[in-house]
Amino acid sequence: MSSRFRVPAAAFGLLPFAVYVLLFLALPTLIAVGTGFVGADGGFTLDTVAALGDPVVLDAFGNTIWLSALTAVIGAVVGALVCYALLGAHPEGALRSSIDSVSSVLAQFGGVMLAFAFVATIGVQGLITVLLRDTFGLDIYADGVWLYELPGLVLPYIYFQVPLMVITFMPALASLKPAWAEANATLGGTSRTYWLRIALPVLAPSFLGSLLLLFANAFSSYATAATLTSQGQQIVPLQIRSALTSETMLGRENLAGALALGMIIVMAIVMTGYSSLQGRAARWQR
């Protein structure tokens, strides 16, 4: 095919993806943001957006940010340790392939299924809860049923954050070139100097980029939180649901658009940082 037709052919091949992004990302985003500037009478207003300064809304954003940050840090550290342990495994061996496959599945194992799994395992009458209580006399809910409160979301979130970290960080760790370690040893360096002066600086952008991706993953999670917690335990995705369905907020449905606008701003900041870090990380993976 001549170069004159190559570019139009490539553009035509991307057309289905462009339509998909337009219909299921760009258009819903514009509608969500636009409704935040529309009042109950259908006219333009800034009152709904001003509601983002309400203490209840600020608390929801604060809860969502600390929950996302905590689970992202724990997931990133644990996932990085798993990746480090896998360095000794053969890249095409059974162990490495099994971990990669399991991580790919568990990273997507969220929502109602994950919530049910935790209820059946460590719920009030869950298998492990009953076993610990009847066999060892240990009641994990002696101070309250924390699984159905905001702190109880930490465990389910970590469940899918660690596998996601393994998927995203393992390629960066595996791309460390043996020649760098050989050069370090030739110059009299130790294992400590290799990790502190070569490996960790090279891996830092990839690690921080994966950390931001985990934060964004937790920040936008909805189904697991909606299944486990009540409407009283507010994070931003649950507040959007309340704005759309609650009978006590009639006439303020467009508050959901304002909340979505706040989420989009946070996600845009996170994704900009992620894109910048990925650009830096890519320089060492060529």
Side-chain angles (χ1 to χ4, degrees), residues 31-40 45-58 60-61 234-246 248-264:
I31 293 175
V33 172
T35 54
F37 295 93
V38 177
T45 180
L46 293 176
D47 292 343
T48 309
V49 177
L52 290 176
D54 188 276
V56 176
V57 175
L58 292 178
F61 272 99
Q234 292 296 335
I235 56 177
V236 177
L238 297 187
Q239 274 214 338
I240 293 177
R241 179 188 65 178
S242 297
L244 293 173
T245 61
S246 176
T248 62
M249 300 183 69
L250 288 176
R252 297 195 66 187
E253 294 85 354
N254 290 344
L255 178 60
L259 293 169
L261 174 62
M263 288 194 71
I264 289 170

Side-chain angles (χ1 to χ4, degrees), residues 81-138:
L81 292 176
V82 173
C83 293
Y84 178 74
L86 286 175
L87 275 182
H90 192 280
E92 298 179 357
L95 176 61
R96 183 80 166 269
S97 299
S98 300
I99 297 294
D100 289 342
S101 300
V102 170
S103 298
S104 299
V105 173
L106 294 183
Q108 305 300 321
F109 188 72
V112 177
M113 292 187 299
L114 179 61
F116 174 76
F118 268 84
V119 171
T121 306
I122 61 171
V124 177
Q125 296 299 327
L127 178 65
I128 294 179
T129 305
V130 174
L131 179 66
L132 292 175
R133 186 177 58 213
D134 296 347
T135 306
F136 302 102
L138 177 62

Side-chain angles (χ1 to χ4, degrees), residues 18 22 71 117 133 165 230:
L22 177 65
T71 58
R133 186 177 58 213
M165 182 65 182
S230 67

